[in-house]
Amino acid sequence: MQTVTEGRRDTSLKANWRVFAVTLYMGVALFEYGFDKGAIAGFQAMPGFLQVFGYQTESGEWDIHAGPQQIISSFMILGSVIGSLLTGFVGAHCGRRYGLILGSVIVIICIVIMSETTSLGALYFSRLFIGVGNGLLLNFTVLYLQECTPPRFRGLCLSMVTCWITIGTTIGMVINHQTSGMKSREAYRIPLYVCYPAPAILILTLPLFPESPRWLLQHGKPEAALRSLRFFRQGAYDEVAVQQEFEEMRAAARREKDQEHLQNRWLLIFELFRGVNLRRTIIAVAVGTANAAVGAMFILAYGTYFFQVANVGDPFKWIIVTNCVGLAGLFTTWTIVTHVGRRRIILAGCMLCTIPMLLMAAVYSAPGVSPNGAGIALVVLVSIYVFGFNFGLESYVYLVAGEMPAQNLRGYTMGLSTAVSFTFAWLSAFTTPYFINPGELNWGPKYGYIWFASSIVTTAFLWYYLPEVRGRTLEEIDEMFRNNVPARDFPKYVCVESLEASARAALTVRGEDKPSSAHLEAV
């Protein structure tokens, strides 16, 4: 009999159509989060919304006080911090799918409240708890795909799924543009109605999909884990390749299970800050914080209002244009992620966000610049910023934050990374009105100086400490961190444990005519 050493892995897009179909489906979970960013930001420039939650100026125009403006924008982010911190605990007991269902239920309840209430208190409450739902949806979507997709396509799949955030944002802006002229409550209620289908679809269909194979292994269900892995690899991997990947997952799950016996499971969160896990936690948190550190909330949360204050014409039209440029950035990165890797893409995105901040502030600081010229420059620079943000940060900070941790800590680490990111985003959204509001400091685009400095620090840190893990399995990444491999040596390091696991799987398959999960011992 011929010795089996390596299974067949077809890396073509056609052979892996199943995992891409699941990826596009899972993107529905992020649509509402993106839609919320695009729609709610635009509400603050709608007379129909301001007549209910704002005030009328002496000139007869409608406006909103800085306090409610802060809370409406920032409470969703604050709620996302809470939802992210809950990810590890919810995921440990409910799994990835039911974590998504819980987030969807919370979102639907909050949408009902926002569309029906005329009370600022109820609006604040719903903004906070829709953030909790969005935090769960964002983290569990990323975790599910991290643990189910083949190593080669992990970056592409995460880029594809997070593009739903930008798609949702763009659709929210387009609908806002169409309803912004209405003088009734329907101006903002119609956009809210569009939010209903996405979470409803998830609640009805998620139980039909398999749970993450790594989560099932971690919870002592190897037969279900193998069935789940076969579902995601069907058509792309032969049985030998499936068994080899499964054996690698099973070895890691067994090792982590042995470690859990030494401690209370509820105390696992403290392992994030011990030994080699501390390095992984620092990198995950740092890369997750990059979204906020480059000033994303300054541009994204207040874009429509910002353009309105800067007098660049129709703010709704220009914010849609810049967001479409951002979509181009997302689609561009799809073509290179499997060849270039995460590290270079993230650093390129940071630099494309850093330079426009400096130029934007400089244009509005320079004397003699005409308002028209400054407005054109603002639109161009914001477009470059949004392109860079979507190209290198929107998708990949979540990707890398989920790749760094050990399997039993992935939910906790991912949640912490996202929570810290949302915390800084909340601080940015909460303080930005004081800097740009004409009734406060009235800095306008000069606020970019602060974010230029912050972006420089972020880029420098990632340059020195972020490793490249393109094409590596999550178990290989775990092995390299446990062996304290320097960041620069990750691409060339040979993972011995993964080779041993593949060899064991090949021997197992060679000894069986029809490999079955019945032959698997429990983890």
Side-chain angles (χ1 to χ4, degrees):
M1 180 183 293
Q2 185 179 1
T3 301
V4 178
T5 57
E6 189 67 29
R8 178 188 62 83
R9 294 172 172 83
D10 191 335
T11 59
S12 67
L13 299 179
K14 180 179 180 181
N16 288 273
W17 70 268
R18 181 182 292 259
V19 76
F20 289 116
V22 172
T23 296
L24 291 175
Y25 161 79
M26 292 299 297
V28 175
L30 302 185
F31 174 86
E32 199 283 328
Y33 172 62
F35 191 94
D36 187 283
K37 290 201 302 181
I40 298 298
F43 288 178
Q44 300 173 50
M46 286 184 178
F49 179 83
L50 297 175
Q51 288 173 9
V52 179
F53 300 106
Y55 68 96
Q56 192 169 24
T57 65
E58 294 180 357
S59 62
E61 299 293 327
W62 289 94
D63 203 349
I64 187 169
H65 291 292
Q69 186 181 34
Q70 289 173 315
I71 295 174
I72 291 169
S73 296
S74 64
F75 262 35
M76 193 276 283
I77 305 170
L78 184 60
S80 298
V81 173
I82 299 172
S84 297
L85 290 175
L86 292 173
T87 298
F89 298 102
V90 173
H93 297 282
C94 299
R96 312 317 189 197
R97 294 176 305 156
Y98 288 99
L100 286 165
I101 291 174
L102 175 61
S104 299
V105 170
I106 294 173
V107 165
I108 288 179
I109 293 173
C110 293
I111 292 172
V112 172
I113 296 174
M114 284 193 293
S115 60
E116 298 302 323
T117 188
T118 57
S119 164
L120 272 174
L123 180 64
Y124 297 159
F125 172 86
S126 60
R127 295 299 295 152
L128 179 67
F129 278 90
I130 201 170
V132 174
N134 280 325
L136 293 174
L137 290 175
L138 174 61
N139 284 282
F140 281 118
T141 298
V142 174
L143 286 173
Y144 186 79
L145 288 176
Q146 288 271 17
E147 296 173 359
C148 297
T149 54
R152 176 178 175 81
F153 295 116
R154 203 165 52 238
L156 179 57
C157 287
L158 264 293
S159 177
M160 290 175 62
V161 77
T162 51
C163 84
W164 278 86
I165 299 176
T166 306
I167 291 173
T169 302
T170 304
I171 292 176
M173 291 174 176
V174 170
I175 294 176
N176 275 3
H177 184 261
Q178 296 299 314
T179 64
S180 60
M182 295 181 179
K183 304 300 181 181
S184 66
R185 293 178 60 201
E186 300 307 309
Y188 68 91
R189 294 177 77 184
I190 290 174
L192 287 173
Y193 296 151
V194 179
C195 294
Y196 284 112
I201 289 171
L202 292 174
I203 292 171
L204 294 174
T205 58
L206 271 171
L208 304 177
F209 286 79
E211 184 55 82
S212 153
R214 288 179 169 90
W215 187 90
L216 291 168
L217 271 172
Q218 188 184 357
H219 289 76
K221 300 177 180 179
E223 293 85 3
L226 183 57
R227 288 195 300 269
S228 174
L229 186 63
R230 283 175 175 151
F231 172 84
F232 288 105
R233 301 296 183 267
Q234 183 177 336
Y237 284 30
D238 65 8
E239 185 61 26
V240 176
V242 170
Q243 291 283 349
Q244 287 176 326
E245 185 172 4
F246 179 78
E247 179 61 32
E248 189 177 355
M249 293 180 186
R250 188 169 62 144
R254 183 185 295 114
R255 179 177 56 253
E256 292 175 352
K257 196 74 172 179
D258 292 340
Q259 293 172 353
E260 286 182 8
H261 290 326
L262 303 177
Q263 57 196 309
N264 188 318
R265 187 165 188 148
W266 288 96
L267 299 179
L268 270 178
I269 191 170
F270 295 107
E271 291 299 307
L272 271 63
F273 310 102
R274 296 173 182 167
V276 296
N277 289 323
L278 177 60
R279 177 190 176 193
R280 304 161 85 156
T281 302
I282 291 174
I283 294 174
V285 170
V287 76
T289 308
N291 270 356
V294 298
M297 295 308 295
F298 169 43
I299 300 297
L300 302 179
Y302 293 98
T304 308
Y305 180 81
F306 188 43
F307 280 153
Q308 185 181 51
V309 171
N311 294 317
V312 296
D314 185 346
F316 289 96
K317 179 182 71 176
W318 288 116
I319 201 67
I320 292 171
V321 170
T322 59
N323 213 64
C324 289
V325 173
L327 276 175
L330 270 176
F331 298 147
T332 301
T333 197
W334 290 6
T335 63
I336 65 173
V337 61
T338 57
H339 306 289
V340 175
R342 298 93 161 92
R343 186 173 180 274
R344 292 180 181 176
I345 291 176
I346 290 175
L347 290 173
C350 285
M351 288 186 282
L352 285 172
C353 290
T354 301
I355 296 172
M357 284 294 189
L358 175 63
L359 296 178
M360 186 191 314
V363 166
Y364 277 81
S365 299
V369 179
S370 67
N372 288 338
I376 294 172
L378 179 64
V379 171
V380 171
L381 292 171
V382 169
S383 298
I384 295 173
Y385 179 95
V386 176
F387 179 92
F389 180 80
N390 284 275
F391 174 83
L393 293 173
E394 178 78 304
S395 304
Y396 297 105
V397 294
Y398 302 119
L399 168 65
V400 174
E403 289 177 326
M404 297 297 110
Q407 175 61 31
N408 62 337
L409 299 176
R410 182 161 290 112
Y412 296 98
T413 310
M414 179 74 192
L416 177 64
S417 173
T418 310
V420 173
S421 176
F422 277 128
T423 299
F424 281 103
W426 172 74
L427 287 172
S428 171
F430 191 80
T431 57
T432 291
Y434 285 116
F435 290 91
I436 67 173
N437 197 301
E440 303 295 337
L441 292 179
N442 194 25
W443 282 15
K446 296 177 185 179
Y447 190 37
Y449 281 128
I450 292 178
W451 294 113
F452 169 73
S454 174
S455 300
I456 288 291
V457 174
T458 302
T459 305
F461 180 90
L462 296 178
W463 175 271
Y464 284 106
Y465 293 105
L466 180 63
E468 177 57 68
V469 295
R470 175 174 63 94
R472 298 284 194 170
T473 66
L474 298 178
E475 289 70 30
E476 287 177 317
I477 297 170
D478 178 63
E479 180 181 341
M480 288 188 282
F481 273 112
R482 284 188 289 105
N483 292 334
N484 290 310
V485 177
R488 292 294 185 271
D489 294 339
F490 268 55
K492 58 186 178 183
Y493 187 81
V494 178
C495 294
V496 178
E497 294 177 11
S498 298
L499 295 176
E500 292 174 347
S502 294
R504 289 196 301 272
L507 290 174
T508 301
V509 174
R510 189 178 62 191
E512 301 290 339
D513 292 330
K514 294 182 179 181
S516 170
S517 60
H519 298 282
L520 298 173
E521 61 184 67
V523 175

